[in-house]
Amino acid sequence: MTKKRLLPVLILSLCCIIMANPDDAKQQVKETIQKAIDAMYNLGDIERIRKHYHPGYILQIMNRNYLSVIPLHNRIEKKRQDHQKGVYPTKDKISIKFISINVQGHAAIVYFDYFKGKQKTCADFMSLYRFKEGWRIVNQTSYHYPEIK
């Protein structure tokens, strides 16, 4: 078979493999999110954060009708400061419960809740893309539940 005929066959084969395993993609996304949450909130591990969050990542939080947009470099600088204060590793681990994971090709949207102990603290919606190096988080939109006293 000539090179001209082989390339389309290879591309079609790869597409079929990717599309045939949506559960594998969901599992990969799930693992990426879990590792990213551990790196960001439980360990403050800057190298792991850089691995799972894309450099163009932003966190969006709305508070009192004001939208805050926080880029990755600001979050990394905060982790550096927290390390200097001795915050990590944290005593109260953050855990998450996945509500939904939707994957289409190289894009994913994930909705999950955060827990500190048994207390549900926050809902998150994360967008990911699959790059050559794997799934990476590009956007995070958060809702903080009112504190229960």
Side-chain angles (χ1 to χ4, degrees):
M1 198 179 288
T2 66
K3 289 182 182 180
K4 288 182 181 180
R5 291 183 185 170
L6 186 58
L7 185 60
V9 171
L10 286 173
I11 291 171
L12 184 58
S13 297
L14 278 173
C15 289
C16 289
I17 290 168
I18 290 169
M19 300 303 263
N21 296 316
D23 291 337
D24 289 347
K26 282 185 178 182
Q27 186 59 36
Q28 292 168 359
V29 166
K30 207 172 180 180
E31 289 170 7
T32 298
I33 297 282
Q34 186 61 63
K35 290 174 183 177
I37 296 303
D38 285 340
M40 184 69 78
Y41 297 103
N42 295 327
L43 303 171
D45 187 320
I46 293 169
E47 289 310 310
R48 289 184 189 178
I49 290 169
R50 289 182 195 273
K51 180 179 179 183
H52 300 295
Y53 292 83
H54 187 271
Y57 157 92
I58 58 169
L59 166 64
Q60 298 173 327
I61 300 174
M62 191 172 95
N63 188 6
R64 296 183 181 157
N65 208 42
Y66 177 78
L67 180 64
S68 297
V69 178
I70 305 164
L72 183 61
H73 62 88
N74 288 30
R75 299 204 70 197
I76 287 174
E77 184 55 36
K78 174 77 167 86
K79 298 303 166 190
R80 279 194 184 105
Q81 293 170 6
D82 288 348
H83 271 289
Q84 291 172 353
K85 294 175 187 174
V87 172
Y88 296 104
T90 58
K91 294 176 190 168
D92 299 321
K93 299 287 184 201
I94 299 295
S95 61
I96 59 175
K97 178 183 177 192
F98 290 97
I99 308 300
S100 69
I101 301 171
N102 296 306
V103 179
Q104 279 297 327
H106 63 272
I109 301 287
V110 181
Y111 164 36
F112 59 93
D113 285 325
Y114 284 89
F115 291 84
K116 195 172 201 171
K118 293 182 180 181
Q119 180 67 42
K120 184 165 50 171
T121 61
C122 182
D124 252 14
F125 302 86
M126 286 190 171
S127 301
L128 299 87
Y129 280 122
R130 182 178 19 217
F131 294 90
K132 290 178 186 174
E133 60 274 9
W135 289 98
R136 295 181 82 185
I137 301 162
V138 296
N139 190 359
Q140 180 176 355
T141 302
S142 296
Y143 169 75
H144 292 269
Y145 294 109
E147 286 189 40
I148 301 171
K149 297 180 181 185

